[in-house]
Amino acid sequence: MRRPVIAGNWKMHLSLAEGLALATEIRNRCGRFRTGEVVLAPVAVQIHPIAQRLADSNIAVAAQNCHAAAKGAFTGELSPTQILDAGATYVIIGHSERRQFFGETDEGVGKKGRSALDHGLIPILCIGETLAEREAGRTLEVVCRQLDAAIAPLSPEEVAGVIIAYEPVWAIGTGRTATPNQAQEVHAAIRRRLAEKTSPAVAERVRLQYGGSVKPDNIAALMAEPDIDGALVGGASLEAQSFIQIVTGALGAESN
Ligand code: PGA
């Protein structure tokens, strides 16, 4: 049984006061889920205060990026050890915005994932095709290429412990979500590829999140698909009500 995981990616939004207020409300309503995991990814400078605010809850904190090195002369970067120090336990790697705007490569994603695991962080490895790639019928080719590079430096046992987020670029922030069928088709292909590259048993353990315009009204249908184990939520994670609805829609009724 894979434990579902809902993550909120706050991107470069929210002041510290807004982030703390949002985290507090989410903690009060979603901080005790036993049926799955909730993860919040604030901007880097807020990781520490948000993690402190969530200290007595089941909610984990993620960074939105990391450098592959543990330390060094890399002005402006954050190392996995520093992220862990600040209180995060997850790190999002290879988000399409990083690939699109910051030159992140397939190979770089592999290195960062390797380093995250070496330093005790769980990577959320993001993959997904652009609209042009989908329309050219290249979705599975692109997604498998990105997946292969992301897991190449990892042992099968390590692969079993990471989260893969399938985020079609054309669905991110556009309001145009993949249909549950479209998402499931790619998720099933990702799991098949994982089975080929590791083993069927490992592939069965890997949690696959869907991301791209996840909202309270589409989460249940997405989660009903057999290979969708959670969601990476952008816009709808910035508001307590919609994120809490997504969490309850995915993980069931609140349990104390
Ligand atoms: P969105 O973003 O939910 O606003 O589409 C998803 C993401 O970028 O992770």
Side-chain angles (χ1 to χ4, degrees):
M1 263 307 271
R2 295 182 295 269
R3 195 168 156 74
V5 52
I6 302 296
N9 175 9
W10 293 356
K11 307 191 179 181
M12 202 175 71
H13 294 291
L14 306 180
S15 67
L16 178 57
E18 289 165 341
L20 285 170
L22 181 57
T24 305
E25 208 173 332
I26 293 169
R27 178 198 66 190
N28 292 346
R29 296 280 307 279
C30 304
R32 294 179 197 286
F33 270 101
R34 303 265 180 266
T35 50
E37 273 178 88
V38 180
V39 181
L40 300 180
V43 69
V45 290
Q46 293 171 14
I47 289 173
H48 189 246
I50 298 287
Q52 284 191 317
R53 181 61 56 97
L54 297 172
D56 295 329
S57 75
N58 289 340
I59 301 176
V61 176
Q64 298 174 12
N65 179 34
C66 72
H67 195 278
K71 63 178 178 179
F74 301 106
T75 300
E77 289 293 310
L78 283 173
S79 82
T81 51
Q82 291 161 338
I83 289 167
L84 198 65
D85 251 7
T89 47
Y90 288 87
V91 56
I92 299 171
I93 294 176
H95 188 280
S96 67
E97 287 150 17
R98 303 282 328 161
R99 294 177 187 261
Q100 242 180 303
F101 306 129
F102 301 98
E104 197 117 347
T105 62
D106 290 348
E107 198 200 350
V109 170
K111 285 189 181 147
K112 289 181 176 193
R114 169 73 270 157
S115 179
L117 282 168
D118 284 341
H119 297 100
L121 289 171
I122 301 171
I124 299 175
L125 300 163
C126 301
I127 57 179
E129 82 287 3
T130 63
L131 185 58
E133 288 163 342
R134 173 164 283 262
E135 286 176 345
R138 296 181 50 220
T139 297
L140 298 187
E141 170 204 325
V142 169
V143 163
C144 288
R145 186 201 75 220
Q146 293 174 339
L147 177 68
D148 290 357
I151 65 168
L154 311 183
S155 70
E157 197 50 35
E158 286 170 331
V159 171
V162 304
I163 295 174
I164 309 283
Y166 167 58
E167 298 205 300
V169 178
W170 48 272
I172 295 178
T174 58
R176 186 178 160 189
T177 184
T179 64
N181 275 345
Q182 282 174 319
Q184 167 59 26
E185 194 187 358
V186 181
H187 280 229
I190 292 169
R191 209 177 295 286
R192 278 197 303 275
R193 185 72 165 192
L194 286 167
E196 282 165 28
K197 293 279 165 180
T198 60
S199 71
V202 164
E204 274 308 303
R205 287 165 59 197
V206 180
R207 293 184 292 174
L208 306 182
Q209 287 181 320
Y210 168 78
S213 299
V214 172
K215 302 278 183 275
D217 62 5
N218 59 27
I219 185 67
L222 287 162
M223 291 299 292
E225 296 293 341
D227 288 298
I228 300 181
D229 310 310
L232 182 51
V233 186
S237 74
L238 296 174
E239 203 257 308
Q241 191 57 23
S242 56
F243 188 69
I244 290 164
Q245 280 174 11
I246 289 170
V247 171
T248 48
L251 305 185
E254 277 174 81
S255 50
N256 280 298

